[in-house]
Amino acid sequence: MNITKEQIDALNAVVKVAVTKEDYADKVKNVLADYRKNANIPGFRKGAVPMSLIEKQYGKAVLLDEVNKILQSSLNDYLVEEKLDILGNPLPKVTEDFDWNKDDFTFEFELGLAPEFTVDLSAKSKVAKFDIEADDKMLEEQVDRIQKQYGKMISEDKATEDTTLRGTFSNEEKGINNATNITLDIFKDKKVVKQFVGKKVGDVVELSTKGLFEDDHKLMDYLKVNHDDVHGLDVIVQFTIEEINSVEKAELNQELFDKLFGEGTVSSLEELKGKIKEDAEVQFAQQADQKFLNDVIESLIENTSFDLPSEFLKKWIQTVGETPLTTEQAEEEYAKSEKGLRYQLIENKIIADNDLQIQFEDLKAHTSELIKKQMAQFGQSNPTDEEVEGIVARVLSNQEETKRLSEQIMSEKMLTLFKEKINVKAKKVNYQEFVKEMYGE
């Protein structure tokens, strides 16, 4: 056995594996001997079939199988020993005049090599770190929403500007069919509001989605339109009125406060606003962290330069699936996956440079916290350690779930690292301003 490597360029190489008869002869002989012991061929007793007949019937297939095993094992060992960081898998080069009737064989494999590059987390960055504030306007709106939610519903015969309507938005062509509650102040244009005034249960109001709301993203809430479809959506939807109600707002008293947050937790309007602000800003911080992480990733992809063995990867993509792809299909797949591959390499580099490791204890602790939060949502606020540990063990016995949780932990470690090392500009905004930043509007 002899393995050599020819470096084509910094990102491509060819490995040659020379297999001699000495490498496979004994293995082939032993396999054929086992075949002979168990062969059932008419005219011969079991175990007494002539070896020449066994070789004629099975010899070529066994030879191919044993040589392939040797190839795979020796090539994998070579890649590990030489510490070759490859992308994809080695691709066998097709040799037109290859002859399996010879005693010795030479196989060639193309390799796509991972590029060498550096990641400078301390470089100047355009990434902003948002601090989202629940401002007074939002707090007033939330208090009003709570009063309406816990208020008394009064059925009305006709819609007015102040009534709440229960109904269904629909458009068969776009697959829109969403039941929801609306108040008429959600609409951008007063002309739309006038279309509803005076309408009764069973009436249908036709509306254009273009400019229906001040923020097009509300189409996601009220019509359940996908985010990718909201921008510029211009279709006619029908709103079928099913209920018309006015709301007698709930009083802001101790009974309401206790119903919302538990007995004695809140005892005044100011404390109510403080609690809403505290809870909202915890949620906002999570959203701000996710945007920060996404923006850093985009920035790293954009500003970390390196070449890829693109031609090799396109050829590899053609062969890696169950069904071989055409050259054009492989080009398309490569274009779709290149950005993800670049970040995967960048992430691996960051993990290695900063020794970001996931220990099993990290995984157990993370899973335990998630389980406790889930149990608390179902009223089990004080589970025993034994109960939690039992659930953790069951969850981590699932390989897919363990992988998903590990990715969550690594994402948190990356976020912490980015906060420590990346030079960012803090930006204080309210939630509406953050939404505009989030969607680039």
Side-chain angles (χ1 to χ4, degrees):
M1 174 74 67
N2 184 38
I3 303 180
T4 57
K5 177 169 70 73
E6 178 187 355
Q7 194 75 32
I8 306 301
D9 55 39
L11 299 173
N12 294 274
V14 173
V15 169
K16 294 183 179 181
V17 183
V19 180
T20 67
K21 188 173 182 178
E22 292 178 354
D23 297 319
Y24 63 80
D26 288 344
K27 293 181 174 63
V28 170
K29 182 179 179 180
N30 291 336
V31 172
L32 291 176
D34 287 338
Y35 273 44
R36 187 187 183 204
K37 290 177 185 177
N38 299 299
N40 286 312
I41 297 178
F44 298 96
R45 287 183 295 106
K46 186 174 181 179
V49 180
M51 181 56 78
S52 59
L53 189 58
I54 295 295
E55 289 176 346
K56 182 178 180 180
Q57 189 165 352
Y58 301 108
K60 186 67 70 177
V62 171
L63 171 66
L64 267 62
D65 188 47
E66 292 304 315
V67 169
N68 185 57
K69 289 178 182 177
I70 292 169
L71 265 180
Q72 295 300 322
S73 175
S74 57
L75 184 57
N76 289 338
D77 290 345
Y78 176 80
L79 295 176
V80 172
E81 290 167 6
E82 295 296 315
K83 298 180 180 178
L84 294 178
D85 191 2
I86 66 170
L87 301 179
N89 294 319
L91 285 178
K93 293 185 71 174
V94 178
T95 305
E96 296 294 337
D97 59 350
F98 192 87
D99 186 1
W100 280 105
N101 292 314
K102 294 182 178 180
D103 290 336
D104 300 334
F105 313 106
T106 299
F107 302 90
E108 295 186 1
F109 295 88
E110 295 179 68
L111 303 181
L113 305 176
E116 293 186 6
F117 60 94
T118 59
V119 180
D120 187 1
L121 295 179
S122 63
K124 287 186 178 180
S125 170
K126 296 180 181 178
V127 177
K129 178 71 174 70
F130 290 95
D131 179 9
I132 309 171
E133 179 187 24
D135 59 10
D136 290 339
K137 180 174 181 291
M138 179 182 182
L139 297 178
E140 292 289 348
E141 289 173 349
Q142 290 299 308
V143 170
D144 186 63
R145 182 187 63 78
I146 289 170
Q147 285 184 275
K148 289 179 178 177
Q149 181 180 347
Y150 288 88
K152 182 181 178 182
M153 300 294 290
I154 302 172
S155 180
E156 303 287 355
D157 294 328
K158 294 182 180 180
T160 69
E161 291 189 12
D162 298 321
T163 49
T164 298
L165 305 180
R166 176 73 180 175
T168 300
F169 282 107
S170 59
N171 177 292
E172 186 175 350
E173 181 184 353
K174 290 291 183 180
I176 297 169
N177 186 40
N178 186 57
T180 185
N181 292 318
I182 63 169
T183 54
L184 299 184
D185 59 357
I186 64 171
F187 298 117
K188 179 180 178 180
D189 193 336
K190 291 294 183 183
K191 291 180 181 178
V192 174
V193 175
K194 290 180 180 178
Q195 286 182 254
F196 283 90
V197 174
K199 291 292 190 289
K200 300 178 180 180
V201 170
D203 287 346
V204 178
V205 180
E206 289 195 343
L207 305 165
S208 171
T209 57
K210 186 176 182 180
L212 187 59
F213 304 114
E214 193 72 43
D215 180 359
D216 282 343
H217 296 101
K218 286 187 177 180
L219 293 169
M220 297 164 61
D221 298 324
Y222 291 104
L223 277 68
K224 297 303 178 190
V225 177
N226 291 329
H227 170 258
D228 294 339
D229 297 330
V230 299
H231 300 286
L233 182 66
D234 186 7
V235 298
I236 299 298
V237 292
Q238 291 76 39
F239 185 85
T240 304
I241 301 173
E242 295 157 4
E243 292 181 22
I244 303 173
N245 298 295
S246 60
V247 179
E248 184 181 316
K249 292 183 182 179
E251 289 186 34
L252 295 172
N253 54 27
Q254 195 62 48
E255 181 183 355
L256 178 61
F257 299 152
D258 291 347
K259 189 180 294 185
L260 290 169
F261 300 107
E263 189 172 348
T265 304
V266 169
S267 57
S268 69
L269 175 59
E270 289 309 307
E271 288 182 3
L272 172 63
K273 289 182 177 179
K275 184 66 174 163
I276 294 171
K277 182 179 179 70
E278 178 186 338
D279 292 346
E281 290 182 352
V282 168
Q283 297 296 319
F284 293 166
Q286 294 174 355
Q287 294 180 49
D289 279 348
Q290 188 59 56
K291 176 165 175 56
F292 174 67
L293 182 62
N294 294 343
D295 289 348
V296 169
I297 289 171
E298 288 294 327
S299 177
L300 287 171
I301 293 171
E302 183 180 344
N303 297 302
T304 306
S305 299
F306 53 83
D307 293 325
L308 291 171
S310 56
E311 293 308 311
F312 168 84
L313 289 170
K314 290 171 189 176
K315 283 199 287 185
W316 175 68
I317 288 171
Q318 280 186 269
T319 65
V320 72
E322 292 183 8
T323 305
L325 302 181
T326 65
T327 302
E328 291 74 19
Q329 288 172 327
E331 290 270 2
E332 291 178 11
E333 285 300 314
Y334 178 75
K336 292 176 187 175
S337 61
E338 181 183 2
K339 192 174 181 180
L341 175 58
R342 286 185 176 278
Y343 182 65
Q344 186 179 358
L345 291 169
I346 293 169
E347 183 182 54
N348 290 343
K349 179 70 173 171
I350 293 171
I351 290 171
D353 288 350
N354 295 276
D355 194 27
L356 299 181
Q357 302 294 328
I358 298 177
Q359 306 297 333
F360 186 65
E361 290 304 314
D362 297 334
L363 192 56
K364 284 177 62 179
H366 178 77
T367 308
S368 178
E369 284 303 308
L370 289 178
I371 288 168
K372 287 177 182 177
K373 288 178 182 177
Q374 290 175 357
M375 294 178 78
Q377 291 175 355
F378 291 97
Q380 293 179 269
S381 55
N382 293 302
T384 65
D385 290 343
E386 186 176 348
E387 286 176 318
V388 174
E389 287 172 7
I391 299 173
V392 169
R394 288 198 297 275
V395 170
L396 296 184
S397 67
N398 184 312
Q399 192 172 3
E400 286 298 317
E401 193 66 13
T402 299
K403 180 184 176 183
R404 186 182 68 83
L405 292 167
S406 297
E407 289 172 352
Q408 286 182 1
I409 296 170
M410 184 53 70
S411 182
E412 290 177 3
K413 287 179 179 288
M414 296 286 279
L415 176 63
T416 300
L417 179 71
F418 292 158
K419 286 181 177 179
E420 291 172 355
K421 295 202 170 186
I422 288 184
N423 295 315
V424 298
K425 182 179 180 180
K427 193 170 182 179
K428 198 174 188 71
V429 294
N430 62 35
Y431 189 66
Q432 288 303 316
E433 291 168 337
F434 175 73
V435 169
K436 290 180 180 179
E437 293 278 358
M438 173 78 83
Y439 296 107
E441 300 175 358

